[in-house]
Structures are given as C-alpha cells and as structure tokens.
Amino acid sequence: MAQPLELKKTLNLPKTDFPMKAGLPQNEPRQLEAWHNGNIYEGILEARKGKPLFVLHDGPPYPTGEIHLGTGLNKILKDLVVKTKSMAGHYAPYVPGWDCHGLPIETQVEKELGGKGKVPPAEFRKLCRQFALRYVEQHKKDFKRLGIFGRWNDPYLTMSHEYEATIAGAFLDFMEKGYVYRGRKPVYWCIYDSTALAEAEVEYEDHTSPSIWVKFAVVVGHRGDIAGLGSDVSAVIWTTTPWTIPHNRALAFHPDFEYAVVDTEKGALLLASDRIAALQAECGIKEARVRANFKGRDFDGMKFQHPFLPIQVPGILADYVTLDQGSGVVHTAPGHGADDFYSGQKYGLEIYAPLDDKGLYLEGLPEYKSKDVFTANPIIVKLLAERGALLGNNEYKHSYPHCWRCHNPVIFRATEQWFIKMDQAAHGKEKSLRQEALEEIHQVKWFPAWGEDRMYEMIEKRPDWCVSRQRFWGVPIIVFYCEGCGTRLEDFKALRSVVKWFEKEGADAWYQHTSEELLPAGTKCSCGSTKWRKENDILDVWFDSGSSNLSVLKGAEWPADVYLEGPDQYRGWFHSSLLVATGVRDASPYRGVVTHGWTLDEQGRPMSKSLGNALYPIEICEKWGADLLRLWVGSVEYQADVKMSERVMTQLSEAYRKIRNTFRFALGNLGDFNPSRDALSNDRLEEIDGWMLDRTAELVKKCREWYANYEFHRVYHAIHDYCVVDLSAFYFDVLKDRLYTKAPKNKSRRSAQTAVWKISSALVRLAAPILVFTSEEIWKHFPKSQGEPESVHISLFPEAAALACGIAKDAAEKWERLAQVRSAVLVALEQARAAKTIGGGLEAKVHLHAGPEAAGLQKLLEEKQSLLPALFIVSQVEVHSSAIPASVPAETLPGLTVKIERAEGAKCDRCWNYSTHVGENSRYPTVCERCSDALAEIENDGSASVAVS
C-alpha cells in the first residue's frame, strides 16, 4: 500500500498569478502598449460588424493646455457609453474630435508672438494650425492614457480641408434658403479681443459697477404741461453703465404702471410710485411728498433734456420696464442693448454707438472722447455731478457678462454683423427656423429630463444668431462684393466653387488666392464689373462646431444616437448643432442628449489653478491609476455637480481593493478549472450555487438596464455591493470549506467552481467598461471557454437568461431566509468570542430553535440542518425541537433563539473542524470523517503525488 498523503498538500488552497497589489500607475502603460500593438479598437469593430449601429458623436474640445478634470470626466463618460453599447452587441464607433478654430487658439498664438498683428493673416493662420496640432497630439496621448478607445489615428479636426469645406457649404445652404442677412444690431463685444461674441461665448461673473441715479429735465411745450407737471420736474433713470449715457436716445415708461411726481430736497422728481422708497434709500432723500400721479402711457411722446448734451429725447412705452430695480423709467440707448434696439426700431430712434473695436469713443465731449468705455465711467459720473444731474452714486455688485476667453467684462455694441434669422422660414417653407428647432426638441430623449425644457427655453427666447467674427483663425464667410457698385454676389453656383477650393486647400485658400481665382472665370455683376472684393469676417466658431454632424456622421450614422456634454452646451454645442442641422437637413442631429455636471472640490468650489485646488487626470493616473479615476466617474451621479478630492480617491482606492480581492479569490480557486472539461450543467449544481447564479442573473439584468439608461453609478454601486457583501462576506466565505477541503474533482467542489466561474465571468464583463485596465488583467488570468476572445472588451455582456438556473421561488425564498439566520448566528458567534467562550468559529457548536412567531423557520432549519455548519462556518449545528435552556433571542431575527457552546470532539488537522470522529481512520488518525472521505477520493483518483516522504 502507498504511503499516506501529506495532509497540507491535499488541500486546494487558492493559487493564482493575479497579484493582490494592482500597481496601476506602472502596469497600465504596458497594457496601453499591448492594446495599441494589437489594434484593440479595430478588433472590437471587426467583431461587431453587421450588428446594430450606435453612434455617440463627440463634442470637440479646444486643443489648448492640458486636459483638466472636467474634460477627463467628459471623455470617460463618453467612453463608458461607447463601451457599454459595444458590449451590448452594437457596432459602436467612436471618432474623437477637436474644435481647432477660434479665439482660444488665436489668443494663445498672440501671446507667443508677443501681441496682435505681428504677422500677415496667412502666416498667422499657419501658426494657429501648428499650435492646434501640437495640443491635439498631447490631448490624444492624455485621453488614451485614460483607457479610452477610439479612432485616434484619424480624428476629426474642424481645421481639416474636408471639415472647413463642410462649414462653408453649410453657411451657403443657410444663405441660399434665405436665412442670412447683414444688419446693424447690438451684440456682445469684447473690447480686449476686438470681436463680436455669441451668447454661448459669454460667461457671467461677479462684477462691481457704478450704480447711478440721473435726472432728465422735462421739456415744457412737448406735452410737458400735463396737469400738475411743471417745468421744474425731472424724470429719474437708474443705470450701471454710465458710459452709455452719451448715447441715450429715449426714456422708456411702462404704459400701465403708476408714476408720481414727488417733491424732494433734490427737486421735483418723476418716477414709478413703487420705487419712491428705493430712490430715498439709494440717494439719501429724506422727504418725498407726492405732488401728482400718472400712468406711464401719459408720457408717450414727452420730451426730456439730455443732462449734458444739446439734445432732447422722447418718452416711449415699453413692456419690458419692470419695478424690480431702478426708478421704473428706463434709460434707453438703442446702440447698446437688445430691448433698447427693438424700441429704437419701433420708434425710429437713432441706433447710435460711435465706438471703435477697442471700445474707444469716436465722438462726444472732450472729457471722454478717445477714452475707452470703462475708463469713461467715472468721467461721465463726474460730468453728471457737475451739471447737477446726479442724484446718487453707489457701488453695485452683480453678475455681469464677461468674455469666455479673456474673462474681461464685455459691452453691448451695435455693429454691422452677419445674422441668421430665427423667425424666417426657408424659401418655399412655412415654418421658421425657430419653429422647426422647437418641434425637433420634443423628438429628442433628454437625460436628465429637464434638458428638454432648458433647450426649449434657450431656442424660444434667443435672438437672431450673430455668426460673424472679426478674426482671422476660422472659416471665412463666403461673400463677395462687386468693386464697381458694391452689390453682393448671389450666384450660388459660383459661390459653391469656393467650397471646392476649400476641399483641396482648406480655408487658407481664401487668403492665398484672389477673388478672380476663387470664382469661376467670367463671374460678372449685373453692372458689368468682373472685379470682386472678399468679405473680411469669419464665421462664429459655434457655427464651426455645430456643423460637425454634417462633416463627421456619414450615411446611417446621421443622426447620432447621443450627444454627451456639460450643462454649458445648452447654449453652446447642443444649441448650435440643433440650429445648423435643422437649417440644413430639417431635423435634429441627435436622438438623445446626456448632460453631466461640473467638477468641484471637496468644499463645493470650482477647481482652478488660482485656487490651488485643481486635480488633473494625468496627475491622478500617476498617483492612483486611470482605473481609479474611471471608478470615480462610474461612482458619482454625474448628472449633478460632482466633487473630487484626495480623500475621495483614498476612499475609492479602498473600494477598488475590495473588488480586486473578490476577483483574486475567484481566480485563485479556478486555477485547476477548465470550463470545457469541468463545468457542470445547471441541473447538477448544488442548490445554493444555483440560487447565487439566479441572484447574479438578476444583477446582470439590472446592470444592463442601468447601462442602457446611462446610470453608471447604479452599476458601480451594485457591483461593489455584490462583491463585498454578497460574495466576499457571504457566498465565497461559505464556499471556502468546499473549495479547499473536497477532493479536486469532487462534484460538490466542481459545482462551487462552476458557480464561481460563471459569476466572475459575468462580473468582469459588467465591470469592463468602468475598470477597463483591471478587467483586462483579470481576463488574462481567467479560464475561458473555447472561442472566447483574447480581450474582455471584445466580449459581450452576459445574458441574464443564460446565467439563471431557474431555482424554484420557494427554494430561493428559503435561501434568503437562511441568509438571515446566518447573519443572526454571526452576531451570536461574535458575542461568544468576546466572552472567551470560543476562539474562532470552527471551535463552536451552534444550538438553534425557532418559535412559532418565526413562521416556518423551525421546519426550514430541520430540513437544511446538514448544510448549516458550512453556512455558518462552524463545526457543529444542532436544531432543537423545543426551547433551548440558557439560549439568547437572536437580535436580528425575532422568534429565533441561539446558544453557542464549544464544539464537541477533537480538531481535524486537515480542515480544522472539530469532530467526535477524529481518530477513527487508522490511515489518517488525525482527520475527521469528512476529510477521510476526501482523502479516499483523492487516493482513488490516482492523480495525487503528495505522499509523506
């Protein structure tokens, strides 16, 4: 007879090369290189050929500076969408893009040059292109470091020849349909960058302005003798822009408000009755006695004397006058405000705004002429005081529009610009661009749902779109003027010949060729001239990015299934894309829109270099690894603002460790498991294993639904809790005895391994979109079935139906209840340890009894008694038919009583359980009856080579 086996070597202890320590910062770059060499993105698309198409269209960031945390959040969320759709069985390409034109890049290049106008336009555009390309390459590297798959070798760039031609063609489409006009209107204007700005290019920041109350004297003879109104009366206006006073051309009254003339120590003043108290408080007026009351409509056509210019301005009526601030009489400068402008058009007022591009006065009194508007503010306040027209002057802190790039305050300035009419129907159509866009909004699915109302309100209330900019780096507006008579060329066939030049040479062709070269030979004006002058303005950069759907999405890819960006894009890319697509193709460019929030620090402050609270994705990768950053993105409710800090990352690293260790346990116990050879069919599994597979199937079903609805945080928390609570703290804990002590090929052990393999296979695929590096590492060590791909990212999500065993409902309910019993017993065991009754769980014998108040529990305990020691991880369990003396009611399960005693018998040297049968096996006198059976099975198998030497 062969020698007895060495007991320690007969145990199936976990064995795996999958390391406990992740070493993500060191190991992730190696995985990136392997993916690059193996063409992972192309491999995924090849595996999905012929599958249903899903398109996430990438909103293009500016290639300036290093990517910040908000950009990282955005790109990782997009990657989660693409990967989840791919693993759900879709052909899901991802084409990253960059918005290469516009002020951000011009500003950076001007800094490098040391100022504006240092080189000719063509050379300046070349430098802008080089700058953009430099940062595109840096961004590519950084985005790939985050584990984002995509067409990195061929992204879309708004400065590519094809793209610039698409932009130009789209503008001509708008023009040919009758949407485009050139007009003089007030627009946001940055005096520091000398350019018009769209609403999307304006950010509101805190600002302190002068708050002044000014008198405009009544001119007698122009309805100035209304009952009780004398020549001593002055209307009162309030403004925070003293610099616009020289350009005042009217005073606006609400027709239905009540106004009063009040006698004060500062004269007889006319203002809204409801604003008298505010006037007194702001201007230090002690007494205000009402002389007479009027309706606003009474002042329509009345004349008022400008406080320091030799002009008289009329009283007009306007519904936009409010009683929230000021005097209820609105200072109206038609060249410097939207409402003012429309009133000016209605009443035939002069649209007066004699400022140059730097905001310098071109006309006016010597005191302020040639000064910029902000420098002029105190000068004009002093002028008003000297003329006896200033009633009050205070500082006013408020939210004021600033340039998005230079962060300086902007002004409203009437200039000649190109506009797209919002309320104009295209030739041959009935509905305006605004109406069509509003209808399209209702066809889109919005995540979160409030996005629909926000976008609707944005489109509903927006003015005509100012699409011209006074810059060089962008796509020129394809307009030619006859040098003979100034007529604009409207031969669209001739104009579209320029688009062909752009296709070959890009928009640089506009600056490198003459008009005669760009236009077809012989292009002639109706006056007979063949000489043409090119427009100098370029298109708004939002028109550029809004055209991306036309350039990038080919064939069935249009419209995109989803756009995903931050909340600012309701007035930015979401907005411009909708208008461009509706104007050109009469439909929305997206079926769905997902919005994420802002990234904040632990105190809820926006992250910035100046505050010293910024965390950058690459820094996080170097310290914690990209998978930890991705775990953060996957863990937060991203549709609200999200907080990030080192403390958050430390907490997540602990959560990551628990998830990793769960998989490590699984891999360690699957070292000798070959799925093709060892996996058992569902009908051969032990009931607890089948029950856990059913629970896993339910988890799969929920996670796939959450992924489909972009609820990534629900997936993360469900996976984390399942790993930590259901597997590590319960199921895997219960399985240890079976996995370690049964004979390697024992059916009970193979049942456990089959369940562990199926559960882990499901979980690693569910986690793959979030933990992109770690899941690939797990997959490399994972025993795979024949035909499974080499990369987890080429695999598909698990199917709940294929995973489920279909355990009967009553059986599943029994296991749910037994899990509750286990929790109660664990509490009692911990109390016994504390009382020194036992040292560890295997030293315990558990006595149980369930009273009638725990209906059916006693019967269940008797039915499953043989399974309870393994479930509780104790040596012995006795279920009593009657009350147990000296037992204690279970704290968490009413009706159950528990008593813990030391286990009977001796300790088995192999499994460490206590048994009264230790010593009965003469060949192995130190083992229990369970281990005797296992050792006999091992010896009979004939594969053991672990004899004692």
Side-chain angles (χ1 to χ4, degrees):
M1 177 180 284
Q3 289 186 318
L5 303 174
E6 186 178 342
L7 295 182
K8 184 178 179 181
K9 293 183 178 180
T10 65
L11 293 171
N12 312 301
L13 297 177
K15 187 176 182 181
T16 179
D17 293 330
F18 182 75
M20 181 182 296
K21 187 174 175 59
L24 295 176
Q26 296 76 35
N27 293 328
E28 287 174 344
R30 290 193 281 270
Q31 182 59 66
L32 284 173
E33 185 177 3
W35 279 332
H36 174 75
N37 294 337
N39 298 314
I40 182 66
Y41 174 71
E42 292 77 11
I44 293 171
L45 291 185
E46 181 64 30
R48 301 292 186 267
K49 269 189 176 178
K51 301 295 183 183
L53 178 66
F54 182 91
V55 175
L56 177 145
H57 182 38
D58 187 34
Y62 290 105
T64 54
E66 62 183 308
I67 65 172
H68 53 76
L69 189 62
T71 316
L73 170 73
N74 176 271
K75 284 296 189 208
I76 291 173
L77 283 171
K78 289 173 181 175
D79 191 55
L80 290 177
V81 172
V82 174
K83 282 188 169 73
T84 56
K85 293 301 179 182
S86 174
M87 294 188 73
H90 289 273
Y91 184 87
Y94 175 62
V95 182
W98 279 269
D99 196 353
C100 302
H101 293 138
L103 195 57
I105 291 170
E106 282 202 41
T107 302
Q108 294 299 322
V109 172
E110 286 169 351
K111 284 181 181 177
E112 292 184 358
L113 289 172
K116 303 177 189 290
K118 298 290 185 180
V119 295
E123 177 65 19
F124 184 74
R125 287 175 61 86
K126 179 181 177 182
L127 293 173
C128 287
R129 187 178 298 278
Q130 291 172 351
F131 180 94
L133 279 174
R134 185 162 82 240
Y135 278 99
V136 164
E137 292 305 312
Q138 181 60 50
H139 282 195
K140 277 187 195 178
K141 179 182 176 183
D142 293 346
F143 289 143
K144 286 191 280 188
R145 177 64 186 88
L146 302 181
I148 297 165
F149 299 161
R151 200 177 77 187
W152 297 111
N153 61 337
D154 184 25
Y156 80 85
L157 306 177
T158 62
M159 65 182 182
S160 71
H161 295 176
E162 178 192 3
Y163 197 115
E164 290 182 332
T166 299
I167 297 168
F171 177 74
L172 290 179
D173 287 342
F174 271 88
M175 183 174 281
E176 192 168 8
K177 290 181 178 183
Y179 288 124
V180 178
Y181 70 97
R182 186 167 177 82
R184 182 176 172 82
K185 283 187 176 184
V187 296
Y188 288 115
W189 186 272
C190 178
I191 66 174
Y192 303 92
D193 292 312
S194 302
T195 188
L197 299 172
E199 287 192 1
E201 297 171 318
V202 169
E203 297 176 346
Y204 283 82
E205 300 177 15
D206 290 338
H207 183 69
T208 300
S209 299
S211 166
I212 62 172
W213 299 71
V214 180
K215 296 192 295 185
F216 280 65
V218 170
V219 177
V220 178
H222 291 276
R223 302 185 62 189
D225 54 355
I226 293 175
L229 198 62
S231 60
D232 62 333
V233 176
S234 295
V236 178
I237 66 96
W238 170 81
T239 183
T240 58
T241 54
W243 64 266
T244 61
I245 294 287
H247 304 158
N248 175 280
R249 291 299 179 267
L251 302 186
F253 297 80
H254 194 288
D256 300 323
F257 289 171
E258 183 178 278
Y259 290 81
V261 173
V262 292
D263 290 313
T264 77
E265 64 267 32
K266 294 188 179 183
L269 307 176
L270 169 62
L271 71 160
S273 299
D274 287 351
R275 299 301 297 165
I276 294 173
L279 171 74
Q280 290 183 270
E282 291 284 330
C283 300
I285 294 174
K286 296 178 181 178
E287 294 185 9
R289 182 172 54 83
V290 176
R291 177 192 298 182
N293 292 304
F294 305 90
K295 286 291 186 182
R297 64 176 62 91
D298 294 333
F299 305 107
D300 186 16
M302 182 179 289
K303 292 290 184 178
F304 300 88
Q305 180 61 49
H306 192 283
F308 55 74
L309 294 177
I311 60 173
Q312 295 174 357
V313 299
I316 63 174
L317 304 181
D319 290 336
Y320 55 76
V321 177
T322 71
L323 298 175
D324 297 334
Q325 291 176 312
S327 66
V329 183
V330 175
H331 150 57
T332 301
H336 297 296
D339 289 333
D340 306 49
F341 173 79
Y342 292 119
S343 288
Q345 286 191 314
K346 178 180 178 181
Y347 284 91
L349 305 175
E350 180 184 15
I351 311 300
Y352 188 64
L355 304 174
D356 70 6
D357 291 352
K358 292 293 185 183
L360 304 179
Y361 288 91
L362 300 174
E363 301 175 8
L365 299 180
E367 286 89 341
Y368 56 83
K369 186 179 178 181
S370 301
K371 303 284 196 305
D372 74 76
V373 295
F374 295 117
T375 300
N377 267 334
I379 296 172
I380 290 170
V381 172
K382 181 182 178 184
L383 190 59
L384 289 166
E386 290 171 350
R387 301 297 175 92
L390 186 67
L391 287 170
N393 177 22
N394 299 290
E395 286 191 344
Y396 180 64
K397 293 183 179 180
H398 60 141
S399 181
Y400 186 84
H402 286 64
C403 175
W404 67 320
R405 183 47 49 185
C406 69
H407 297 287
N408 285 304
V410 300
I411 65 172
F412 250 110
R413 176 193 178 206
T415 60
E416 288 281 337
Q417 301 290 340
W418 289 96
F419 295 90
I420 288 175
K421 298 176 185 176
M422 290 300 299
D423 296 307
Q424 173 74 39
H427 295 319
K429 300 188 76 174
E430 295 182 359
K431 294 178 180 177
S432 68
L433 179 61
R434 189 190 309 276
Q435 289 171 322
E436 289 196 351
L438 290 174
E439 288 179 2
E440 285 300 310
I441 289 169
H442 295 314
Q443 308 306 314
V444 176
K445 190 168 185 181
W446 301 86
F447 303 87
W450 53 253
E452 180 173 353
D453 290 338
R454 179 176 290 190
M455 180 58 87
Y456 195 93
E457 184 179 2
M458 290 276 185
I459 298 294
E460 183 181 38
K461 295 181 178 179
R462 70 154 296 138
D464 288 350
W465 185 0
C466 177
V467 292
S468 50
R469 296 292 181 273
Q470 292 65 50
R471 309 294 293 183
F472 292 118
W473 180 229
V475 175
I477 292 176
I478 301 181
V479 167
F480 295 87
Y481 304 95
C482 174
E483 290 194 356
C485 66
T487 300
R488 180 163 60 85
L489 178 63
E490 294 187 0
D491 180 346
F492 286 96
K493 184 176 181 181
L495 291 171
R496 290 189 187 279
S497 68
V498 180
V499 177
K500 294 178 182 177
W501 279 94
F502 285 12
E503 289 173 352
K504 291 184 292 183
E505 299 181 12
D508 289 345
W510 188 259
Y511 301 90
Q512 294 169 345
H513 296 277
T514 64
S515 299
E516 289 69 31
E517 290 174 314
L518 294 171
L519 292 169
T523 300
K524 186 181 294 186
C525 179
S526 58
C527 74
S529 174
T530 58
K531 296 291 185 181
W532 299 95
R533 172 176 58 85
K534 291 180 284 187
E535 170 64 59
N536 291 324
D537 289 351
I538 64 171
L539 282 165
D540 173 16
V541 70
W542 290 107
F543 193 93
D544 289 14
S545 59
S547 302
S548 63
N549 64 92
L550 305 177
S551 178
V552 179
L553 306 180
K554 309 296 185 184
E557 295 174 349
W558 199 98
D561 290 286
V562 72
Y563 278 32
L564 188 156
E565 301 297 335
D568 53 334
Q569 299 310 316
Y570 283 92
R571 62 190 182 101
W573 190 56
F574 296 158
H575 195 121
S576 64
S577 296
L578 178 64
L579 293 183
V580 171
T582 304
V584 174
R585 294 190 179 175
D586 304 316
S588 168
Y590 39 71
R591 296 188 180 98
V593 169
V594 179
T595 310
H596 64 76
W598 303 108
T599 53
L600 309 174
D601 70 7
E602 200 167 16
Q603 283 74 45
R605 300 173 302 174
M607 290 190 171
S608 69
K609 283 184 179 178
S610 59
L611 287 175
N613 63 348
L615 285 173
Y616 292 89
I618 298 308
E619 292 176 354
I620 292 171
C621 290
E622 290 172 353
K623 184 171 183 178
W624 285 289
D627 262 2
L628 263 294
L629 179 60
R630 295 180 69 95
L631 197 66
W632 171 72
V633 174
S635 70
V636 296
E637 294 190 45
Y638 65 86
Q639 292 177 358
D641 293 345
V642 292
K643 294 181 179 180
M644 164 63 95
S645 65
E646 293 219 6
R647 188 176 65 85
V648 168
M649 291 305 297
T650 301
Q651 291 172 344
L652 279 172
S653 64
E654 178 61 19
Y656 170 84
R657 184 188 65 79
K658 291 177 180 179
I659 293 172
R660 184 180 181 90
N661 284 346
T662 301
F663 280 108
R664 189 169 186 270
F665 175 89
L667 293 172
N669 286 284
L670 293 174
D672 65 337
F673 183 79
N674 182 324
S676 303
R677 179 193 67 207
D678 301 323
L680 302 184
S681 58
N682 286 351
D683 61 337
R684 298 180 64 203
L685 296 178
E686 294 199 5
E687 193 174 65
I688 189 174
D689 301 329
W691 174 59
M692 287 303 296
L693 285 175
D694 280 352
R695 294 188 65 196
T696 307
E698 186 62 30
L699 175 71
V700 167
K701 181 182 176 183
K702 289 179 180 178
C703 286
R704 292 195 60 169
E705 289 173 357
W706 292 328
Y707 269 143
N709 290 318
Y710 312 118
E711 297 177 286
F712 307 122
H713 67 287
R714 289 178 177 266
V715 176
Y716 158 73
H717 288 293
I719 291 174
H720 172 268
D721 292 350
Y722 200 70
C723 285
V724 175
V725 179
D726 297 81
L727 295 181
S728 294
F730 172 61
Y731 183 57
F732 284 179
D733 205 26
V734 170
L735 286 186
K736 287 176 182 175
D737 185 74
R738 240 199 298 168
L739 290 168
Y740 298 173
T741 67
K742 294 290 183 182
K745 299 179 183 178
N746 181 270
K747 176 176 173 291
S748 177
R749 182 169 182 270
R750 291 303 192 204
S751 174
Q753 285 183 304
T754 300
V756 170
W757 174 68
K758 288 186 175 182
I759 291 169
S760 302
S761 174
L763 287 178
V764 71
R765 286 178 285 158
L766 287 177
I770 300 173
L771 295 174
V772 60
F773 293 96
T774 303
S775 61
E776 190 76 307
E777 184 186 6
I778 293 167
W779 193 255
K780 288 176 183 176
H781 293 85
F782 196 73
K784 298 182 232 353
S785 297
Q786 191 171 3
E788 285 194 291
E790 286 301 308
S791 171
V792 69
H793 301 294
I794 298 178
S795 69
L796 295 169
F797 279 144
E799 296 288 344
L803 195 62
C805 289
I807 297 294
K809 183 180 179 182
D810 63 335
E813 290 173 350
K814 288 178 180 179
W815 281 106
E816 294 283 356
R817 205 162 189 198
L818 287 173
Q820 294 174 354
V821 174
R822 181 178 188 270
S823 297
V825 169
L826 292 182
V827 171
L829 287 170
E830 190 57 40
Q831 292 170 344
R833 283 193 197 92
K836 309 290 188 193
T837 303
I838 59 171
L842 291 178
E843 295 180 8
K845 178 177 183 179
V846 178
H847 299 267
L848 297 174
H849 172 71
E853 58 268 46
L857 183 56
Q858 180 69 20
K859 181 180 179 182
L860 175 60
L861 295 174
E862 291 170 353
E863 177 189 337
K864 302 292 186 182
Q865 180 166 354
S866 63
L867 304 177
L868 297 181
L871 188 64
F872 303 155
I873 316 178
V874 297
S875 290
Q876 295 139 19
V877 176
E878 183 176 347
V879 179
H880 295 260
S881 59
S882 58
I884 310 167
S887 62
V888 178
E891 293 183 3
T892 59
L893 194 57
L896 179 69
T897 55
V898 184
K899 182 178 181 181
I900 307 296
E901 292 183 335
R902 287 194 64 85
E904 299 169 356
K907 180 179 179 180
C908 173
D909 278 354
R910 184 169 178 270
C911 71
W912 295 7
N913 276 264
Y914 283 75
S915 171
T916 56
H917 299 286
V918 172
E920 293 180 358
N921 187 327
S922 58
R923 184 167 170 81
Y924 296 102
T926 62
V927 304
C928 66
E929 69 278 15
R930 294 165 58 255
C931 288
S932 292
D933 293 342
L935 290 166
E937 191 174 342
I938 293 169
E939 289 181 335
N940 290 338
D941 180 52
S943 60
S945 55
V946 286
V948 176
S949 57

